[in-house]
Amino acid sequence: MISVDRLREEQALGMKEQEWAGPEALCPGWQEEEVSDGEGPEDSGHPDPTAHAYEVLQHTLRLEGMPLTIDRTGQPRTGSGPLDMTVCVLGSPTAFLPVLLEGGTRYPGAMVLCLAPAWASRVPSETSPGSWSLLLSRGVSFEAGGCTALEEFVPPRRATYVTGTFGSEGSWEGELARDLNCPTGGSALLTRWLEDPLLSRWLLSARAGLTVPPTLAFITGLWETLPEEPEPPGVHLVRLQDPQGQESLVRDEVGAFLEGSSMQPYDQVAVRLSGWRWRGTDPHSTHRKVEGEAVAQAVAALLKGLREEESILLEALVPTARLPTLPPRSAAPRLPMALRICTVVCRSWGDRPQLCQVACTAGRAEVPVRHGSALPLGLDSSLRQWGLADAAQRQALAGQLREAAEAAMAALLAAEGELSPAQRGGARAHTDVLGVDFLLACVDGTLELVALSANCLRCLETCLLAEGMGHDVGQPAGDVPRLLAECLLHRAQCHLVEGKDILLIGAGGVSKSFVWEAAREYGLRIHLVESDPEHFAAGLVETFLPYDSREHCRDEEHAERVLEMLHARGLRPDACLSYWDDCVVLTALLCQRLGLPGCPPAAVRLAKQKSRTHQHLQRCRRGRPPPAAFSVPCRRLRSHGDVERAAGAVPFPAVAKLEFGAGAVGVRLVENAGQCHAHAAQLWHDLRADADHPGIGLGWGNAMLLMEYVPGTEHDVDLVLFEGRLLGAWVSDNGPTRVPTFLETAATLPSCLPADRQAQLVRAALRCCRACGLRHGVFNVELKLGPAGPRLLEINPRMGGFYLRDWIRAVYGPDLLLAAVLLALGLPPVLPSRPAPRQQLAGVMCLASEHGRALRGGVMAALQGLQRRGLVRLNPLFEEAGGRYEEPCLSVACAGDGPAEACGRLLGLCQALGIDSPQYPVGHFLSHFK
C-alpha cells in the first residue's frame, strides 16, 4: 500500500489547510455517467438510418486519413466456405472502428461491419438444435491498409463470431445476436446484467475482493440474478416484500447505515435509482450524512415507482484522495478536483483477463466526471499531476490497478458463467470486453483503489479517444485495437475448428495426455492411428485405428494401409497432424496423399535425419549469413569403420548420438575415438529395435552420428510458420546439461537473453527451417549460442515436447496445439503480434534414479497439493525408469515476476522436498538464468 503520510513526509511542503477547503467532500465525480453516445443506425432519428450510418462511417474514415469505402455490390463476393472466418460487428459504425481496422490488417477480409438488420438473417443451426446461425448477405469488409468495401455475399456469409452495440432495449443488434451457435461477445441481456450498478458492485466486492463505496440497496421481488451468498463488505441489501408502507423499516435501515462504521470516513451520500431504465442518470438527490430524516424521505419517495429488478441505492460519496502537491504558483485557493480511472479489460487466450489500457478523466469535484466530459490522460501523467512524484510509487499503483481490473473481470466472468443460457442471451454469449471504473481514494492513510462499476463500451470509447489523441502528437499506436482484434479473431478461430475431423498419427505417452483434454476443449473429432492396440487414449477419441507403424523404413507402405482404413470407414479428415516424433514422416506422406496442408515428405525426412540436416545446410551458401553458418560438422555412424573415418573429420571432444533419436537418449560426450567406439558398441548392443526403448526413433534403425561439440548456452526456439511466413516465435533457456549424457536439467521461459540475442536465435532457426523446406507448421529447433552466434543442434519437425506447450500457454497465452491444428487446416493462426510475458517460469527435471524414492514416498503428493493451490506447475513426462538410457520423469516449475524470483522459489521448494542434493545440485542448474 502507498502511504499518504509518507508522501507528505517526502515532499515536506508547507501546505495550508485552506487549500483543501471547499466542496471536494461532495465529490460525485465517480457517479454514473450519461448513456454512451455510440449511436446505432436505428437510433439516430434519420429518415434513412442505414444511409446515415454509412455516411458516418465515411466521415470517420476521412478524418482518420483512410480511403473511403469502395462499393463492390455490383460484383457479389462468392465462394465463402466452412473455413472462412467472419467476425461480424453489429450496429454503430464508430464504436469498434479502430478494432475493425486493426483486424482488417491482421486478417484481411475477416472483419465485417453490419449496419442494418436487412443485411443479415437468422436460420436454424444445423449443428446446435435450438440455436441459430447468423448469415450476412451484405456488409462492409475491412482489408489491409485501412481499405474497406461494401460487399454483397452470395451465398450469404456465415458469422463465426458476433459482437456489437447491444445497449438499446429491443434493438435489432440484440435480436440478431440472440441464441446464436457461434461465440457472441455480449448480448442485450448481458449488457443489462453487467451494467446494473448494484449487481456489479456486489460481485466486485464479493468475488474480486475489491473495495467499493459503502452502499445500502433497497430491492423488491426475487432478483434471481443476485448470487446466493453472504453480503459482501461494503454492500447491505434490504428486501422489501411490498414497497408500500415501509417508511418505518426504511428509516431504521437508513439510520443504521448512516451511523455505521463503513460510513464513518464520509460526510455525503447520494440517493439514486438503479436499473436499466435509470442507466446513466444523475442521482435523485445528495445529502449530508447528518440529514438522516431527509435521506429516509428521499428513499421512501422513490419506492412508489420501483419495478422488479430495480433498486434504490444509498451510497457514500467517496472523495478522490488528496495528495500533497507542489506549492501553488499563485495565492488563489485551489479548486478541489475529482479523478476517474477507467480500464478496458479483455478475455485473452485461455479465457484469462488482460488489462488493455487505462485512461483517466479529471474534473471539478462538485460536478460529475463523466466519460466524454473531458479529454482523458494516461495514468502516469494523471498521478504525477495529482502529486505522486515518485516513479516507483506510480509503477506500484499501476500494478495494483492491473491486478484489480483483471480480478474484476475474472469475478464477473465467473458469475456470468453461473447464469443460464436464457439469462445470458444464448449458450455461446459471453462478455469478451468490458470496462471497469475506479476511484483513487485515501483509506486509513493509504492510497486505495475503489471499484465503482462495470460497463460494456464507455471505458472503451474513452481509451480509444486517448489513443487517438496520442496519435495526433506522433505517439506510437497503443494496445487496445491490437489486443481486442486478436481477442475477437482468436475466439472466431476457436469456433472454426469445432467439429473438425482431425487424423492424428501416434498417441504418444503420458507427456502427451494434454492432447485429449485440449481436443474436448476445442470440440475436435480425433481419429487416432496408434501402434499400441491397448493405448489408454483408445476410449478418448472419436475413432481408434490400431495399426502397427513402428517400422518406419516402410512408411510409404504404412501410408497406403492407413488410407485403406480411412476409406473403409468412410472417414474424410479435414486435417492430419502428429506431435509424436516417430510419426512425422508418415504424417507428411498422408497429408500429401490426402491433399491436405503440410510439409513435403522430403523436407520432413531431411529434418528427421540429423546428419542429413547438417550436411544439407552446409551446402546452403546463399544469404547473409547463409544457413551453412549455423550447421555443425558431423558424420553418420553405422559401423566401427565409420567411427574411424569420422574421427578424422570431426574434431574432439565430440558428441555421439542416435541419428533419429529423441529425448537425448543415447547422447554422450566423447573425448577421443576410443570412447566413441566404446559408446557405439554399447548402444548398438542395447538399442536395436523400437521395443528396446519405444519413442526414440529406433523404428528408423539405430544408426548414430558424430558431431562437433559446440560450446555455449543451450536454447529451444519454437516457431509457427504459415507458408514460409513467420507468425510466432518463443525462446526458452536450458540450464547446464549433465555431462557426459547431456540430459536436460532445468529451463526457464521467457529467455533471460537480451532481445538482440534472442533475435539471433529466432533468425537462425527460421533460416534453417526454410532451407530444409519446412515452411508450414509448428517446429521446435534446438540451438547453442556462443560468442560467435547461434549453431544448430537439431530440428524437430513437430511441436515442442516436454513442458513447452504448457509453459508457452501459461506465460504468453497462445496454444501451440491449436496453432498446429489451424495450420493443418490451412489457416494462419492468430497469434500475438507483440507477445508480452505475464510471468517467469523456471523448472527443474526429476529423474527416477535421483528422485524416484522421494516421489513415491510422499513428495509427489505434496507437489500435487501445491499445484492445486497454484504454487507449482507439474508436467509428467515419462514413466519412472532408470538405467543407462534414462529420461526425465517429471518437470517441476515455479513462477515469479522475474528469473530471480522464479528461481529462488524453485530452489527453496527443491531444498525443502529433497529434490536438491549434492548429486543433483539444483542451484547450479539454475545458475545460468540471470
Side-chain angles (χ1 to χ4, degrees):
M1 301 297 290
I2 300 174
S3 169
V4 175
D5 292 336
R6 178 183 167 193
L7 294 174
R8 290 197 173 96
E9 292 170 5
E10 288 176 351
Q11 298 183 3
L13 301 177
M15 295 163 34
K16 298 181 179 179
E17 188 64 30
Q18 59 263 30
E19 289 175 9
W20 300 111
E24 182 174 3
L26 298 175
C27 191
W30 52 266
Q31 294 172 13
E32 281 299 300
E33 63 291 321
E34 295 174 358
V35 178
S36 163
D37 62 353
E39 188 179 275
E42 298 296 325
D43 304 322
S44 64
H46 194 278
D48 187 345
T50 305
H52 173 66
Y54 191 78
E55 290 170 5
V56 170
L57 174 62
Q58 302 315 301
H59 175 71
T60 308
L61 290 172
R62 187 183 298 109
L63 292 180
E64 294 295 323
M66 302 294 178
L68 299 183
T69 303
I70 299 173
D71 188 346
R72 293 186 188 152
T73 55
Q75 298 176 322
R77 185 169 171 177
T78 61
S80 177
L83 291 178
D84 286 331
M85 183 164 59
T86 303
V87 174
C88 174
V89 175
L90 302 169
S92 168
T94 57
F96 287 90
L97 184 58
V99 181
L100 288 162
L101 291 168
E102 174 69 19
T105 298
R106 291 292 305 275
Y107 214 109
M111 311 293 287
V112 179
L113 175 63
C114 178
L115 295 175
W119 292 12
S121 60
R122 289 158 52 90
V123 298
S125 171
E126 298 175 357
T127 57
S128 302
S131 62
W132 302 78
S133 296
L134 186 67
L135 302 181
L136 297 173
S137 56
R138 174 175 284 207
V140 178
S141 61
F142 287 73
E143 307 286 342
C147 296
T148 56
L150 179 63
E151 297 190 284
E152 296 276 355
F153 303 115
V154 179
R157 190 167 168 178
R158 188 180 303 271
T160 53
Y161 180 88
V162 176
T163 190
T165 51
F166 302 123
S168 302
E169 189 168 3
S171 66
W172 64 268
E173 298 96 330
E175 287 302 307
L176 281 179
R178 180 173 46 84
D179 294 323
L180 296 181
N181 65 348
C182 69
T184 309
S187 68
L189 291 176
L190 278 179
T191 300
R192 297 181 66 168
W193 178 83
L194 182 70
E195 299 205 0
D196 184 284
L198 171 59
L199 180 62
S200 64
R201 196 166 293 178
W202 181 290
L203 293 171
L204 292 174
S205 176
R207 301 286 182 90
L210 301 178
T211 301
V212 299
T215 304
L216 174 64
F218 295 89
I219 66 171
T220 61
L222 297 177
W223 269 74
E224 295 179 354
T225 54
L226 272 178
E228 294 182 3
E229 54 194 17
E231 287 186 350
V235 181
H236 178 56
L237 199 64
V238 179
R239 295 181 182 268
L240 303 175
Q241 299 300 323
D242 183 358
Q244 307 302 321
Q246 300 289 332
E247 291 80 3
S248 177
L249 175 60
V250 168
R251 188 178 298 107
D252 292 343
E253 291 288 352
V254 168
F257 175 74
L258 296 177
E259 296 171 6
S261 59
S262 64
M263 278 297 300
Q264 187 175 356
Y266 309 111
D267 298 324
Q268 294 280 324
V269 292
V271 178
R272 61 186 300 116
L273 284 162
S274 175
W276 188 251
R277 278 197 305 159
W278 311 106
R279 171 174 169 262
T281 59
D282 287 328
H284 179 265
S285 58
T286 59
H287 308 267
R288 295 185 64 81
K289 184 170 64 174
V290 295
E291 300 171 350
E293 186 61 32
V295 174
Q297 291 176 1
V299 172
L302 294 177
L303 285 174
K304 299 176 183 178
L306 200 62
R307 298 179 183 176
E308 191 171 343
E309 299 291 320
E310 293 182 345
S311 60
I312 298 171
L313 303 185
L314 174 59
E315 53 193 13
L317 295 181
V318 182
T320 300
R322 299 177 294 180
L323 303 179
T325 59
L326 296 174
R329 295 183 180 180
S330 70
R334 277 194 197 149
L335 295 173
M337 303 293 288
L339 179 70
R340 187 189 197 104
I341 304 173
C342 72
T343 62
V344 173
V345 196
C346 75
R347 184 198 298 260
S348 186
W349 277 270
D351 288 344
R352 295 186 304 184
Q354 179 174 2
L355 178 66
C356 300
Q357 191 164 330
V358 180
C360 303
T361 306
R364 292 279 296 275
E366 68 272 17
V367 179
V369 182
R370 306 180 183 278
H371 287 293
S373 64
L375 295 175
L377 286 174
L379 177 64
D380 193 73
S381 179
S382 298
L383 293 178
R384 277 185 295 172
Q385 179 175 297
W386 231 253
L388 208 57
D390 189 293
Q393 292 176 330
R394 296 197 303 273
Q395 185 176 4
L397 192 59
Q400 293 174 21
L401 181 63
R402 173 180 292 277
E403 291 178 3
E406 293 179 352
M409 185 173 196
L412 292 168
L413 292 182
E416 179 183 287
E418 297 169 5
L419 300 177
S420 68
Q423 291 173 318
R424 293 201 309 271
R428 306 302 300 273
H430 296 283
T431 299
D432 290 330
V433 181
L434 64 81
V436 185
D437 283 309
F438 292 89
L439 173 74
L440 183 61
C442 179
V443 179
D444 297 330
T446 60
L447 295 181
E448 185 169 31
L449 292 165
V450 177
L452 304 176
S453 59
N455 60 80
C456 292
L457 283 179
R458 293 189 295 279
C459 281
L460 175 61
E461 291 172 345
T462 299
C463 287
L464 290 175
L465 172 61
E467 180 156 312
M469 292 164 55
H471 182 267
D472 293 343
V473 294
Q475 293 295 312
D479 292 332
V480 172
R482 174 180 61 84
L483 292 174
L484 297 192
E486 290 173 354
C487 169
L488 273 55
L489 291 166
H490 169 66
R491 291 263 281 149
Q493 284 200 326
C494 287
H495 178 61
L496 272 182
V497 304
E498 290 177 14
K500 295 297 183 290
D501 291 289
I502 309 298
L503 181 62
L504 186 62
I505 311 301
V510 64
S511 66
K512 307 302 181 184
S513 297
F514 63 83
V515 171
W516 320 118
E517 180 181 349
R520 290 192 301 272
E521 177 185 345
Y522 295 126
L524 304 175
R525 294 161 50 91
I526 301 293
H527 308 283
L528 174 63
V529 177
E530 166 56 35
S531 297
D532 179 6
E534 304 297 326
H535 197 281
F536 69 86
L540 303 176
V541 296
E542 188 76 17
T543 307
F544 183 66
L545 303 170
Y547 176 77
D548 190 352
S549 63
R550 289 175 295 177
E551 195 175 340
H552 291 291
C553 59
R554 299 169 50 208
D555 271 348
E556 296 275 355
E557 178 186 335
H558 296 326
E560 294 300 326
R561 299 290 83 76
V562 171
L563 288 176
E564 291 172 2
M565 295 168 66
L566 295 178
H567 295 325
R569 288 166 174 78
L571 296 177
R572 301 182 63 181
D574 300 300
C576 177
L577 72 153
S578 179
Y579 49 79
W580 192 237
D581 206 75
D582 277 5
C583 299
V584 291
V585 173
L586 175 57
T587 302
L589 289 167
L590 286 166
C591 287
Q592 185 182 64
R593 285 161 169 74
L594 290 167
L596 297 172
C599 289
V604 179
R605 281 195 175 99
L606 183 64
K608 179 60 185 166
Q609 188 172 349
K610 296 175 176 61
S611 64
R612 285 190 60 203
T613 303
H614 285 276
Q615 291 163 5
H616 172 77
L617 291 175
Q618 287 165 8
R619 296 191 293 270
C620 297
R621 297 289 178 177
R622 293 185 178 181
R624 293 186 178 181
F630 312 121
S631 65
V632 178
C634 62
R635 291 292 185 273
R636 190 179 190 191
L637 308 178
R638 287 173 291 184
S639 66
H640 287 283
D642 290 337
V643 173
E644 288 298 326
R645 286 185 288 273
V650 177
F652 289 98
V655 178
K657 57 183 178 180
L658 287 169
E659 174 81 297
F660 299 96
V665 174
V667 181
R668 192 171 189 86
L669 180 71
V670 291
E671 300 285 350
N672 50 53
Q675 289 186 7
C676 188
H677 277 291
H679 178 57
Q682 184 73 57
L683 190 146
W684 285 332
H685 175 270
D686 296 339
L687 304 177
R688 297 172 180 269
D690 187 78
D692 296 327
H693 200 123
I696 62 166
L698 294 175
W700 303 90
N702 64 350
M704 297 175 62
L705 79 155
L706 185 70
M707 66 185 303
E708 179 183 323
Y709 173 74
V710 180
T713 55
E714 189 169 335
H715 307 269
D716 280 70
V717 179
D718 289 274
L719 301 175
V720 177
L721 273 68
F722 176 77
E723 297 178 352
R725 177 164 55 100
L726 179 65
L727 300 183
W730 296 270
V731 179
S732 55
D733 302 341
N734 293 334
T737 52
R738 298 188 83 191
V739 177
T741 61
F742 293 98
L743 200 60
E744 184 174 335
T745 57
T748 190
L749 181 79
S751 172
C752 300
L753 293 171
D756 54 354
R757 296 287 271 167
Q758 294 186 51
Q760 283 185 314
L761 288 166
V762 170
R763 182 51 60 95
L766 179 61
R767 295 290 299 278
C768 290
C769 284
R770 286 174 174 168
C772 291
L774 301 175
R775 303 175 61 83
H776 190 89
V778 179
F779 309 115
N780 171 257
V781 185
E782 300 174 24
L783 303 106
K784 279 286 196 74
L785 183 63
R791 302 290 295 279
L792 176 70
L793 295 181
E794 60 186 63
I795 300 173
N796 298 306
R798 39 80 182 162
M799 181 179 70
F802 285 176
Y803 46 79
L804 284 169
R805 178 258 182 180
D806 178 53
W807 280 24
I808 290 171
R809 195 180 189 196
V811 173
Y812 291 101
D815 186 352
L816 290 186
L817 178 62
L818 177 62
V821 170
L822 287 164
L823 289 165
L825 289 167
L827 301 173
V830 175
L831 299 171
S833 59
R834 295 200 293 272
R838 298 178 65 90
Q839 60 183 334
Q840 184 84 32
L841 285 176
V844 65
M845 296 294 199
C846 293
L847 306 176
S849 59
E850 298 285 349
H851 311 110
R853 179 176 299 177
L855 291 174
R856 291 188 296 272
V859 170
M860 190 64 191
L863 287 171
Q864 290 170 340
L866 292 171
Q867 180 172 240
R868 286 191 292 271
R869 295 165 55 192
L871 300 177
V872 300
R873 297 191 78 86
L874 303 181
N875 292 101
L877 302 178
F878 298 99
E879 301 292 340
E880 283 189 29
R884 185 187 300 273
Y885 305 108
E886 184 173 26
E887 294 178 273
C889 61
L890 179 69
S891 168
V892 180
C894 289
D897 291 334
E901 185 176 59
C903 291
R905 290 175 176 173
L906 180 61
L907 180 58
L909 176 72
C910 292
Q911 291 171 340
L913 296 181
I915 297 173
D916 176 62
S917 69
Q919 296 75 33
Y920 202 79
V922 173
H924 170 65
F925 299 150
L926 301 176
S927 62
H928 285 198
F929 305 148
K930 298 178 181 178

